[in-house]
């Protein structure tokens, strides 16, 4: 099955990275957001990063134009009907997803697969909203999505084997390595990684070490490419909190209770790199 025109719904951090990864792999991308200015901002940001990489000789000259030329930003929902495959990365709230999936059902051809990049909601519950539940699946990318090689492929209870096979092949075709994971809170990576980030926030809260020293410890002592608190700022403190809350709620295990600094930062609106401040400060 030829999947050439891919619609990405949501131009936040993950939507931007996924659109970049797809366009870099030669796919035509329709990037939709209800706020079209987010799409424009995403394309500009990709162009800027790729222009820098061109200057440094990391990618061939012309890459920025070629990649961004394959991304069509839009605020028009009906454009989704033109796509061969949908990747949904809208805000992690079930009510918002319900609205989006109901509207997608009304305009998509019946054979179109919809993959959700959710990291914290039940894919089975999302699939149940739709009239195409056998064609709904989780496709979990990692931040920064244009760099990280893994895609977790998570079938819902209703997903057909044909859909799983197509999504595994598609993941490979865009240069990613897929692993198929049964649905469970946090899947594999977040189930292991988020408790580490949460524990770092507990250590900070207990005053055992400074944020800088916690990150240095894990980089130099455990070989992490970035410290857990910087990583939390990269993925978004709000996202990290949402994943911890899901792990806690779904398992009932107190080991997953979110650390106080995660809640406090979110309440203050300090969500990490995307807002210029989280555990650390960043030049926006
Ligand atoms: N935001 C976006 N992209 C970034 C970035 C950032 N803060 N930092 C680096 N990148 C991207 C850029 O494209 C950069 O290229 P450029 O510098 O030419 O623009 C490219 O990564 C490579 O960056 P570097 O040359 O600086 O390479 P590094 O060796 O420093 O690696 C890294 C950067 C790949 C981000 C590395 O630090 C890393 O692997 N960190 C861990 C990331 C990780 O664990 N991600 C998973 C998070 S969990 C998740 O996403 C799931 C979700 O559901 C919560």
């Amino acid at each position: 099955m030829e999947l050439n025109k891919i619609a990405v719904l949501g131009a936040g951090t993950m939507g931007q990275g996924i659109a970049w990864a797809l366009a870099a792999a030669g796919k035509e991308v329709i990037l939709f957001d209800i706020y079209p200015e987010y799409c424009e901002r995403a394309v500009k940001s990709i162009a800027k990063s790729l222009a820098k990489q061109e200057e440094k000789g990391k990618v061939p000259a012309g890459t920025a134009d070629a990649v961004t030329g394959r991304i069509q930003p839009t605020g028009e929902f009906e454009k989704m009907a033109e796509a061969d495959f949908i990747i949904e990365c809208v805000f992690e709230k079930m009510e918002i997803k319900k609205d989006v999936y109901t509207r997608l059902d009304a305009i998509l051809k019946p054979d179109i697969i919809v993959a959700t990049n959710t990291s914290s909601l039940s894919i089975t519950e999302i699939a149940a909203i739709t009239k195409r539940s056998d064609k709904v699946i989780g496709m979990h990318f990692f931040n920064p999505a244009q760099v990280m090689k893994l895609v977790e492929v998570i079938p819902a209870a209703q997903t057909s084997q044909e859909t799983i096979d197509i999504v595994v092949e598609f993941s490979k075709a865009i240069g990613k390595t897929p692993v198929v994971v049964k649905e469970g809170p946090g899947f594999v990576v977040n189930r292991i990684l988020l408790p580490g980030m949460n524990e770092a926030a507990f250590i900070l809260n207990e005053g055992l070490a400074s944020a800088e020293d916690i990150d240095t410890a894990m980089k130099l002592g455990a070989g992490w490419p970035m410290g857990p608190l910087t990583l939390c700022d990269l993925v978004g403190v709000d996202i990290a909190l949402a994943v911890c809350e899901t792990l806690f709620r779904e398992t009932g295990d107190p080991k997953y209770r979110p650390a106080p600094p995660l809640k406090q930062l979110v309440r203050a609106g300090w969500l990490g790199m995307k807002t210029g401040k989280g555990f650390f400060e960043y030049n926006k």
Side-chain angles (χ1 to χ4, degrees), residues 124-147:
T124 297
E125 192 176 348
I126 294 174
I129 300 164
T130 73
K131 295 194 199 102
R132 61 182 67 242
S133 53
D134 61 316
K135 295 193 176 59
V136 174
I137 192 164
M139 205 178 170
H140 188 212
F141 290 79
F142 295 84
N143 196 339
Q146 74 280 10
V147 179

Side-chain angles (χ1 to χ4, degrees), residues 20 49 53 56 58 119 140-144 146-148 190 193-194 225-226 231 234-235 239 273:
W20 180 345
S49 293
Q53 291 187 13
K56 290 185 202 159
K58 284 184 174 181
S119 52
H140 188 212
F141 290 79
F142 295 84
N143 196 339
Q146 74 280 10
V147 179
M148 306 303 282
N190 282 351
L193 198 55
L194 266 294
M226 54 177 34
L231 184 57
L234 172 73
V235 302
I239 303 294
M273 293 178 192

Side-chain angles (χ1 to χ4, degrees), residues 6-19:
I6 318 299
V8 176
L9 273 84
T13 310
M14 290 311 290
Q16 173 180 321
I18 293 168

